[in-house]
Amino acid sequence: MHSEAAHTSSTAEDDLGLARRIARGERTAFESLMRRYNRRLFRLARASLDNEEEAQDALQEAYFQAYRSIGGFRGEAALSTWLSRLVLNECLARRRRVRRRENVIPMISAQDTMPMVNAVVDESAPPDQAVGRLQVLALLERKLAALPENFRVVFMLRSVEELGVEEVAQVLGIPEDTVRSRHFRARSLLRESLARDFDSAERDLFGF
């Protein structure tokens, strides 16, 4: 317990120190921040927007906002939590603009699933196993993209980024019980959807 508290304190001090270096204009410090959190923040933006190009644009804007306002970071929350809130706020603003302009919700396309999937495929695996894993991951990506956004974002933060319930609650500004219920519901919906696909594939295979 003591070592966990010490680690949390050390992380907070490291976050605050990094933020202060960025506020002083140290370019290398901001590059360190991007290397440390870019993957998590991009996945969060992509889960919220369902579109890789839009997610990249939202992330770049969030970084710009972070650079301008990081002098106000006081370390009350983790730096990753503070950055995640900026990303989600930018994604929300973009969704609102799209809905006002077009009155439609963007839909994910098949090619949008590939970059994240390719990033986690084991290139050392035999070709047949690699292809099979790629197909399963692509299916999971499509099923995840079809979830309601509230469930999808919670699932990404909890199951993919492996954040704790408390931190997810801080990032999204919702109660911890809501995080738990949305995560449970997201997992249930994914299982149900995958089961339907597998049942359908089984019927097609043995339909003769």
Side-chain angles (χ1 to χ4, degrees):
M1 180 69 74
H2 177 72
S3 60
E4 181 178 347
H7 173 73
T8 301
S9 176
S10 175
T11 300
E13 291 171 0
D14 185 50
D15 282 350
L16 193 55
L18 184 61
R20 286 171 175 170
R21 289 171 55 205
I22 295 170
R24 289 196 298 266
E26 293 186 27
R27 181 176 177 179
T28 56
F30 197 75
E31 291 172 353
S32 296
L33 177 146
M34 293 177 67
R35 283 194 300 271
R36 184 181 301 179
Y37 297 117
N38 193 68
R39 184 177 181 183
R40 173 192 294 188
L41 296 175
F42 173 71
R43 285 185 169 182
L44 179 59
R46 192 170 176 276
S48 182
L49 292 173
D50 282 351
N51 181 282
E52 184 181 358
E53 185 175 348
E54 276 289 307
Q56 290 280 12
D57 289 345
L59 182 56
Q60 290 302 316
E61 179 60 28
Y63 276 140
F64 180 64
Q65 293 173 13
Y67 188 80
R68 289 191 305 176
S69 60
I70 201 163
F73 177 76
R74 295 292 179 263
E76 290 89 354
L79 186 56
S80 59
T81 301
W82 184 77
L83 291 167
S84 295
R85 287 174 182 165
L86 291 179
V87 171
L88 285 174
N89 287 339
E90 175 61 24
C91 290
L92 178 60
R94 285 171 179 267
R95 289 202 309 271
R96 286 172 175 165
R97 288 196 295 269
V98 168
R99 287 167 182 166
R100 284 198 301 265
R101 184 171 61 246
E102 301 176 2
N103 197 30
V104 296
I105 300 176
M107 300 298 290
I108 195 164
S109 61
Q111 60 265 32
D112 287 332
T113 66
M114 299 308 293
M116 191 185 301
V117 169
N118 288 337
V120 294
V121 172
D122 183 2
E123 296 180 356
S124 66
D128 57 338
Q129 292 183 19
V131 170
R133 179 173 174 80
L134 184 63
Q135 291 172 339
V136 171
L137 288 171
L139 175 62
L140 287 171
E141 285 281 330
R142 290 195 298 272
K143 295 301 181 183
L144 181 58
L147 290 178
E149 188 236 338
N150 286 343
F151 296 153
R152 183 172 66 244
V153 172
V154 169
F155 184 87
M156 285 293 298
L157 291 172
R158 286 286 291 125
S159 293
V160 178
E161 298 303 330
E162 299 182 341
L163 301 188
V165 171
E166 182 180 1
E167 186 172 0
V168 175
Q170 291 176 351
V171 169
L172 300 179
I174 59 178
E176 292 182 18
D177 284 346
T178 303
V179 172
R180 294 186 182 94
S181 63
R182 288 183 183 178
H183 187 233
F184 176 81
R185 183 60 177 153
R187 293 179 64 182
S188 298
L189 289 172
L190 283 173
R191 282 196 298 266
E192 291 169 5
S193 183
L194 288 169
R196 285 195 298 270
D197 270 27
F198 289 141
D199 287 345
S200 176
E202 189 176 60
R203 286 194 300 270
D204 291 342
L205 181 62
F206 297 105
F208 62 88

